[in-house]
Amino acid sequence: MKNSVTTLLSAVFLLTLTPLFARDVEIIIEDMELGIPLEGALIRSWDGSEYICDEDGKAVVSAPDGRPVTVQAGYPGYESARLALALGKSSFKLGLRLSGIMEARELVIEASRPGSSETRTGRSVAVTEQQIAQTGEIGIIEDVMTTIKLLPGVGYTGMFNALPSIRGGEPGDMSASLDGYYISNPYHWGGGYSIFDPRMVQSAQLSHGVFSSRYGHTVSGLLEVSSKKPSSTETEFELGLNTSTAAANLSLPLFGKGGILFMGRVTYYDPLVALAKQMATVIPELEVINVVRVAPYIRSGAVVFNYRFFDDLEIQSTAFWGMDGIGVRYKNGPSTADGLTSSTDMLFDYANYQGFITAGLSWNPRSDMLLKTTLGTGYHQSKADGDIRNFVSKSFSDEFKNNPVNIPVLAVIDEPYELNADTIGEEEAVSINVQGRVDFDWELGDGLLAAYGVQEMFTNYNDTMKFQGRMESFYNGLSAADQQNVKEQLDPLGVSQSFYDQLIVNYLTTYSSTVDNKLFSTSAYTMVEYNSPGKRFGSELGLRLDHFYLLGEGFSVSTTPVLNPRLNLDFNVFKNRGFVESFDFSVGTGLFSSINDMVALADERYDLEGAKPGRSWTSVLGTNIAFPGGLSLNIEGYYKYIFDRAYVPIAVDSSGMQPMPYLDGEGRIWGIDLMLQKLQSRYWDGWLSYSFNWAKYRDPHGADTGLSFSGGNRDDDWYFPSYHRFHNLNLVLNIKPIPRINIYTRFGIASGTQLAKIIGPITSYPVYVLGENMFIEKYQRATVADENNRTTPSFPLDLKFSILGDNEAGKSRYEVYVALENALALLYTAQGNTTFNTYTGKEDTGSDSASYELPIPIPSFGFKLNY
């Protein structure tokens, strides 16, 4: 044993000793033909570290002393290239060749390339492949959204939730695209994780400000994800294993003019669950695994292809497919506790399938023009079946019997009462999507760019939903017909009006809907962008037109075309003064529009006369200060007004549920986002992000029914939504004591969400079961809405320790990591209200943890090999 430990320690020492003797080399990246430096070019070092070139195209890279290594450089619009850092030299120069579609175009330098990811004050924040690898490759399922949730303007959600609020907007308001293709449902496991595997992503850009008129279909934010691109000259392979999944990428060159990249990911819970079930036959403690009928699974794959026919003509294509699901069967009881006899039999099955393919053709008819056409189609199907059979039986308490108001009904109660509280639900949603667009960019000279485009998106929705279950309402909130039914049974007993005023009525209700809708979304835009020499001043003025036409069975709705003007002004106040390299100022304002999903899935029962898309008006004021050493500070203040917002109250009685949509909702949001960022460097990098957000909504008819698919129930009052948090802070830090070691730390502080204020004890109350002509007893606790009452703050802490390395030739790289998410969980979790059993009134004193928190740390591990 002692010899084994000594050998292990020696191996670790040898792995880490070599990089201690390192040298710094200077690399200059420039245009191969023009010889001009490429500011912002990205150099990926031998150990996976990334360096950004300064305005002279220069970066200082750390390399091991004693052996040659290879680095890779890239720049938007240019072909990537490799450079061998030979021994004995301290300075190198590498020229990059323009991609065919961008050759001889000043647009590469003067304006951002359409579809490229970049951080722009007042518009967007972007993360690179390396940043995603450091922050997103962690946890049970590695996910790009883990990285996105650390950016300013993104609300804290806890784990297993890939649907954050973007600058106070509803979580579902954020749109997402992969390589320009809008994805209707970019999630696995109902929103637990996104479909974006970090190993398939090159960069991601979250646009939550006043972004370009090229893009729309959102009122809160747009997540643009760019997949990895195949190499045109080399065969590349990547293998990754982590706690739950295995992933592999294979890139093949095509005659030096393009390439094809295959990517796939699969979970391996299936054999683990099967093994656990076998072990449960001899180990009784493992019998709980038999609850799992279908092991939770995620299987996905993608293919990326590009090929340059000529210097001015290139085709690009992306295909994706994915599936996920789970099956559970849980049975418990009958058992008796606290006088309550109960049993539960639950069956739940969920399956989700999706896929799409998109292709784009880019052509330069002239050296100063770019014409791009894109066409894609996709398919999505999800099916969920739930069947919960609950049985409860209990005698009435002395509290119930001694309440004078209840005396008239004591003569008709049966003890113990018995109730079957069953819930059955199923939904199958199928959608087919076809989308195409044409974009034309014209570099007019002297820093002026004009752009035009049109887009058509067609979606066919087929949705079938059925629900049957028991609901409860105050007697005074029932329909006139249900009130009459109750009075016919109870009036002969001589009950008082005060009894009716406190009476809760339990009734069986149903809902069914069959939707076959076709939504046509037509958009067009025009945009003019100007950048002065040296980028001392820049502007972007655009106008986007959106029109929506919904055709369903027995109805049709055509919205009035909406105009969405957008304006951005950028000023470089000064450069290279004192310790400030650059001080920039930006201001922008614009309108956005989108169709709410509840409107797109309407049926003939909805009254959609005068329907219109949801709108938002966003204004942003921001500044960016760049310091030496890759340090920058970005501060943005924003105001967002949301109007024509859809919300859907539901009228419920024993005859069924009736949706009642309204389109007059409003929202007022303002806040401040801050990001202090240190770009990749030898010893440390990362960022500090902080967001303050104030968001209130108003739904004038939200309280008409007391129940809704979406929206609040505060009537004409302004309210904070349930997901709102005032403060979100994230510290992301990568410490690299030696090149082979990376220690990643994420520490966050998130203020609490809205919490009902308890104003009374847990008390007994009578419940009349309509249709069964019987009474049962339940318990309630008086609460009121109080916007000053919130859960306690959350303090997430994630740790990740990585060992990196490569072979002597620099052709292969590897990383091994161990990680721990939610590391403080055993010491602290955010606190909410305690829960209690509504049939016995017994309070669970250990249930005050906020629902989005997990009470235990989550360990994970991973291995990655690149060749």
Side-chain angles (χ1 to χ4, degrees), residues 209-231:
V210 184
F211 53 87
S212 172
S213 299
R214 300 177 189 269
Y215 309 107
H217 302 291
T218 180
V219 294
S220 285
L222 172 65
L223 178 62
E224 300 172 79
V225 178
S226 299
S227 63
K228 289 181 178 179
K229 302 299 184 287
S231 171

Side-chain angles (χ1 to χ4, degrees), residues 506-818:
N506 180 294
Y507 53 90
L508 185 68
T509 190
T510 60
Y511 177 79
S512 64
S513 173
T514 301
V515 170
D516 184 7
N517 290 349
K518 299 172 178 60
L519 177 64
F520 299 84
S521 303
T522 305
S523 304
Y525 74 88
T526 180
M527 185 187 76
V528 177
E529 184 175 348
Y530 171 74
N531 283 291
S532 67
K535 293 190 176 181
R536 298 304 297 268
F537 171 73
S539 64
E540 180 183 312
L541 175 63
L543 178 65
R544 182 180 179 89
L545 180 146
D546 290 324
H547 175 258
F548 304 93
Y549 176 69
L550 182 65
L551 177 63
E553 293 186 348
F555 75 100
S556 64
V557 176
S558 180
T559 68
T560 301
V562 294
L563 298 177
N564 296 316
R566 301 173 196 172
L567 172 66
N568 282 287
L569 302 175
D570 302 301
F571 305 88
N572 175 245
V573 182
F574 60 80
K575 289 185 177 181
N576 300 318
R577 289 190 184 179
F579 59 88
V580 177
E581 289 187 348
S582 178
F583 182 86
D584 298 304
F585 177 78
S586 176
V587 60
T589 186
L591 290 169
F592 301 83
S593 62
S594 71
I595 281 287
N596 186 284
D597 288 342
M598 296 306 302
V599 175
L601 293 173
D603 59 31
E604 66 274 7
R605 294 173 295 179
Y606 285 52
D607 182 9
L608 292 178
E609 184 177 355
K612 47 194 172 183
R615 308 286 303 280
S616 70
W617 171 45
T618 300
S619 297
V620 181
L621 185 66
T623 184
N624 182 273
I625 307 173
F627 303 97
L631 188 67
S632 65
L633 174 64
N634 193 83
I635 304 175
E636 297 180 14
Y638 60 89
Y639 174 79
K640 180 160 56 178
Y641 174 60
I642 298 176
F643 56 103
D644 296 341
R645 174 175 168 270
Y647 59 100
V648 188
I650 308 172
V652 186
D653 61 18
S654 61
S655 64
M657 300 180 175
Q658 176 60 45
M660 302 168 57
Y662 292 93
L663 303 171
D664 57 355
E666 295 180 90
R668 292 174 181 169
I669 304 169
W670 66 273
I672 298 173
D673 290 341
L674 177 150
M675 188 172 188
L676 179 64
Q677 185 174 21
K678 168 69 173 177
L679 295 178
Q680 288 283 338
S681 67
R682 167 62 185 82
Y683 293 101
W684 70 279
D685 57 69
W687 67 80
L688 174 69
S689 67
Y690 168 75
S691 299
F692 172 83
N693 178 265
W694 187 97
K696 276 194 171 184
Y697 288 85
R698 186 177 76 94
D699 305 318
H701 301 278
D704 288 0
T705 65
L707 182 69
S708 67
F709 279 135
S710 62
N713 57 359
R714 307 288 185 83
D715 204 18
D716 219 19
D717 293 338
W718 291 86
Y719 64 92
F720 290 109
S722 60
Y723 51 82
H724 173 258
R725 299 176 187 271
F726 282 113
H727 307 279
N728 285 277
L729 181 144
N730 284 291
L731 173 62
V732 176
L733 192 60
N734 290 287
I735 303 295
K736 295 171 272 189
I738 58 176
R740 285 191 183 274
I741 301 295
N742 189 90
I743 304 171
Y744 163 72
T745 303
R746 174 270 179 123
F747 176 70
I749 300 176
S751 60
T753 57
Q754 285 283 284
L755 183 67
K757 184 176 182 179
I758 299 173
I759 60 173
I762 300 172
T763 58
S764 165
Y765 66 95
V767 177
Y768 178 70
V769 183
L770 185 62
E772 301 290 337
N773 193 25
M774 60 179 284
F775 280 92
I776 64 173
E777 178 187 15
K778 296 188 73 174
Y779 289 81
Q780 64 183 351
R781 181 167 56 190
T783 61
V784 295
D786 185 347
E787 63 182 33
N788 296 316
N789 196 53
R790 291 177 175 258
T791 60
T792 59
S794 298
F795 300 99
L797 174 63
D798 303 333
L799 303 170
K800 176 182 172 183
F801 180 82
S802 301
I803 298 177
L804 308 99
D806 67 339
N807 67 351
E808 291 188 0
K811 288 188 175 182
S812 65
R813 303 189 308 273
Y814 68 85
E815 176 184 353
V816 180
Y817 79 79
V818 292

Side-chain angles (χ1 to χ4, degrees), residues 354-398:
Q354 58 185 308
F356 71 85
I357 182 170
T358 181
L361 193 65
S362 301
W363 176 47
N364 289 98
R366 290 185 358 191
S367 62
D368 56 356
M369 294 180 178
L370 172 63
L371 178 65
K372 187 173 183 178
T373 60
T374 306
L375 181 65
T377 183
Y379 174 83
H380 173 245
Q381 179 182 11
S382 65
K383 185 175 183 179
D385 293 314
D387 190 338
I388 304 175
R389 307 285 176 168
N390 284 325
F391 169 80
V392 292
S393 176
K394 184 178 178 294
S395 296
F396 291 86
S397 68
D398 291 339

Side-chain angles (χ1 to χ4, degrees), residues 15 240 244 262 279 349 378 452 586 605 633 668 710 731 865:
L15 278 172
S244 304
F262 301 92
M279 296 176 63
D349 289 306
Y452 315 90
S586 176
R605 294 173 295 179
L633 174 64
R668 292 174 181 169
S710 62
L731 173 62
L865 174 66

